[in-house]
Amino acid sequence: MKTPFLPAVAEFLKASPLPHFINGRRHPGGATRAVINPVDGSVLAEVAYGSETEVNQAVTAAQNAFPAWAARPAVERSILLHRLAERMEKEAAVLAQIESLDVGKAITATEGFDIPFGIACIRYFADLATQAQYDMPLAIKNIEARVHRAPYGVCGFIFPWNFPFDLLLWGIIPALAAGNTVVVKPSEVTPLSTLYVAQLASECGFPAGVVNVVVGDGAGVGAPLTAHPLVRRMSFTGSSEVGRKIGEVCGRRLIPSKLELGGKGAAVVFDDADVASTAKQLAGAITFNTGQVCCTATRWIVHEKIFDSLAQQAAETLKATKIGVGLDPETQMGPVVSATQRDRILGYLSRGKAEGADVVLDGGPAEVRDAKGGFFVKPWLLAGSPENVCCREEIFGPAAYLVKFRDEAEAVEIVNRLDYGLANSVWSTDLARANRVAERLVAGNNWVNAHNVFAYGLPYGGVNRSGLGGGVNSPATFYDYLRDATIARPLA
């Protein structure tokens, strides 16, 4: 099925090569890179490809814009943010199509989740900025004292390719609302919606230099951004391996860093769980965004009494999932983002089998009509020993590994055996047990009878190998972007 691009999308892509956005205007670069359509391997657009030169220009612009932006009353920043949300709402269909094209995800997901949830982020933090407490009195004997909260300055952001629109807004909106300016390095694989958002912000009245975007790879843009002496705070979302390197650089520079890293989420399913409902929800968790979700449930720790039943019902649900072109409204699961990612996922399937895993549902490349050359894979399920590579390592695709357990203590031990700590879930009709087990699982987020639970005001973050330095989506996120300054006057 061929779905035509919306006129605004076609016009946006036609401006290829798409430039960086620095100091309130489009900024062309020398080198360019192709952005590939995951559906068929064709070129969606060329984008400017930056280096330390563009990073220096963007950080300087952000530094110059910071004093005036920080000095604006919070209500004025809030008004601009609400204006941006309103503009995005008017262009929601355009944003949804750009995101679907860039990542390959189903248009129903970008229309129904990604775009509206991102817009809600803007409104949440815009309102929070006007309600926040910027001065906290301290009860100290013979001293008039308070803690004053002030923005840091230039904040650097490095984002991955799986949720470019939402992760961009989860990161930069609280920073902007708190009075900081930002320099963003989107993934060079999926930079399109980020560039579009930067242009919208400018058109909505954001001052030049407040929002800057430089496209490029980790070595050319990410490293100089992290090491730049004018950057006062860093945020990185991505792999644990790269997160460690960024944390080391920030540690040497003595600046705070927020690291949202990988995961290997577990779902603990007890024998009293609703098997049909749980199987359907867990199958949906690994097909959501084609499994390219760091917090999703990829280890299913299932009680031995219901193991076969749950595995069979999940496999039937996965076999019925419609794989197709992202812009097709009937598609339930699109391609993965790149040939590299497809090969990685299929490589894990081969390695898992070679290590002796039982095949519950076999995978492999998927053939999709009208999408020759696309990066499509079938969902798959393996089972067996928790020592299998597919149970231990993050795959980032539509796959899960099933392990049997006998009792509560064994289930907890299997989950906590890995050093990841992002998100797990517990499935049981016994809520006392579900909550007791959730408290014992080592992760930043443990959900009950659901997986991938997100809401503004609900903190989300990781521990151990899955991250540090704060989370997203809550008041704590906003206050992360304000530094504390004690102000005191001795009393006579």
Side-chain angles (χ1 to χ4, degrees):
M1 173 181 177
K2 281 283 186 181
T3 302
F5 294 174
L6 295 170
V9 175
E11 188 68 22
F12 171 64
L13 297 176
K14 191 172 69 176
S16 179
L18 301 173
H20 310 292
F21 196 86
I22 298 173
N23 202 27
R25 58 182 180 272
R26 296 180 179 90
H27 187 95
T32 62
R33 175 190 170 109
V35 177
I36 302 302
N37 187 341
V39 164
D40 57 13
S42 64
V43 175
L44 281 170
E46 295 281 336
V47 293
Y49 212 58
S51 66
E52 187 172 0
T53 299
E54 286 78 18
V55 171
N56 289 336
Q57 292 167 340
V59 173
T60 299
Q63 177 67 20
N64 291 339
F66 170 66
W69 181 248
R72 281 194 178 214
V75 67
E76 292 187 14
R77 296 196 298 267
S78 177
I79 288 169
L80 282 176
L81 288 167
H82 275 292
R83 191 178 298 164
L84 177 61
E86 290 166 6
R87 177 67 181 275
M88 285 183 177
E89 222 158 39
K90 292 176 182 176
E91 300 206 28
V94 173
L95 288 162
Q97 193 171 87
I98 289 173
E99 193 79 340
S100 176
L101 286 168
D102 209 7
V103 186
K105 62 178 68 182
I107 190 69
T108 51
T110 59
E111 289 177 337
F113 176 77
D114 296 57
I115 306 307
F117 200 60
I119 293 171
C121 171
I122 301 175
R123 293 198 166 110
Y124 175 77
F125 286 108
D127 290 341
L128 189 58
T130 64
Q131 303 160 5
Q133 187 177 6
Y134 296 93
D135 286 277
M136 297 178 296
L138 300 174
I140 309 295
K141 185 178 180 181
N142 295 326
I143 299 175
E144 180 185 83
R146 61 192 166 99
V147 172
H148 177 69
R149 288 168 166 159
Y152 280 89
V154 180
C155 295
F157 293 87
I158 301 174
F159 294 112
W161 45 257
N162 56 335
F163 286 91
F165 181 78
D166 278 349
L167 293 177
L168 169 74
L169 300 182
W170 289 8
I172 72 169
I173 295 303
L176 293 170
N180 302 279
T181 54
V182 303
V183 178
V184 176
K185 188 201 96 64
S187 168
E188 64 273 25
V189 179
T190 57
L192 299 183
S193 59
T194 300
L195 291 169
Y196 199 83
V197 166
Q199 181 61 42
L200 290 184
S202 178
E203 293 173 3
C204 288
F206 281 70
V210 171
V211 177
N212 306 273
V213 177
V214 180
V215 180
D217 59 20
V221 174
L225 177 61
T226 304
H228 201 289
L230 294 179
V231 172
R232 296 289 181 250
R233 206 182 204 291
M234 275 301 301
S235 175
F236 170 79
T237 306
S239 72
S240 301
E241 292 71 26
V242 176
R244 282 194 185 98
K245 295 177 182 178
I246 290 174
E248 288 172 4
V249 174
C250 292
R252 288 195 298 271
R253 293 189 54 222
L254 298 179
I255 66 166
S257 61
K258 182 189 293 288
L259 305 174
E260 300 289 337
L261 308 179
K264 190 68 177 175
V268 178
V269 186
F270 283 95
D271 56 341
D272 63 343
D274 183 327
V275 174
S277 174
T278 303
K280 183 177 180 180
Q281 290 188 67
L282 290 180
I286 65 167
T287 55
F288 175 56
N289 204 37
T290 319
Q292 299 165 128
V293 184
C294 56
C295 59
T296 206
T298 57
R299 292 184 293 157
W300 300 357
I301 317 303
V302 185
H303 194 276
E304 58 187 6
K305 289 183 179 179
I306 60 167
F307 185 91
D308 291 340
S309 176
L310 184 133
Q312 179 184 0
Q313 292 188 52
E316 291 301 319
T317 299
L318 292 170
K319 283 191 284 189
T321 299
K322 179 173 172 51
I323 303 170
V325 175
L327 293 187
D328 182 347
E330 295 184 1
T331 291
Q332 295 174 293
M333 189 179 87
V336 294
V337 75
S338 66
T340 299
Q341 188 62 18
R342 176 198 60 200
D343 295 345
R344 170 188 170 89
I345 294 163
L346 298 181
Y348 268 107
L349 176 59
S350 297
R351 291 169 64 191
K353 291 178 182 178
E355 290 188 12
D358 298 323
V359 178
V360 177
L361 176 65
D362 208 356
E367 297 295 327
V368 174
R369 191 179 64 180
D370 299 328
K372 299 297 182 184
F375 313 131
F376 296 92
V377 296
K378 298 174 185 176
W380 49 269
L381 299 174
L382 298 181
S385 165
E387 297 307 310
N388 189 284
V389 65
C390 290
C391 190
R392 293 183 290 105
E393 297 184 11
E394 186 175 31
I395 298 170
F396 227 58
Y401 193 93
L402 287 72
V403 177
K404 291 181 183 178
F405 78 90
R406 294 182 300 277
D407 56 39
E408 184 177 312
E410 183 184 24
V412 170
E413 189 278 327
I414 293 171
V415 174
N416 290 343
R417 190 178 297 181
L418 298 188
D419 197 30
Y420 284 110
L422 189 52
N424 303 309
S425 55
V426 184
W427 303 76
S428 173
T429 55
D430 183 344
L431 295 184
R433 175 170 64 182
N435 279 278
R436 179 175 68 248
V437 171
E439 290 173 1
R440 295 176 62 194
L441 301 182
V442 180
N445 312 275
N446 290 311
W447 301 308
V448 174
N449 292 333
H451 204 96
N452 294 333
V453 181
F454 297 99
Y456 293 108
L458 185 67
Y460 172 87
V463 298
N464 296 340
R465 232 177 121 189
S466 292
L468 58 81
V472 296
N473 296 349
S474 73
T477 313
F478 177 80
Y479 289 116
D480 275 346
Y481 288 100
L482 294 167
R483 58 177 178 80
D484 288 350
T486 299
I487 298 174
R489 179 179 68 88
L491 299 175

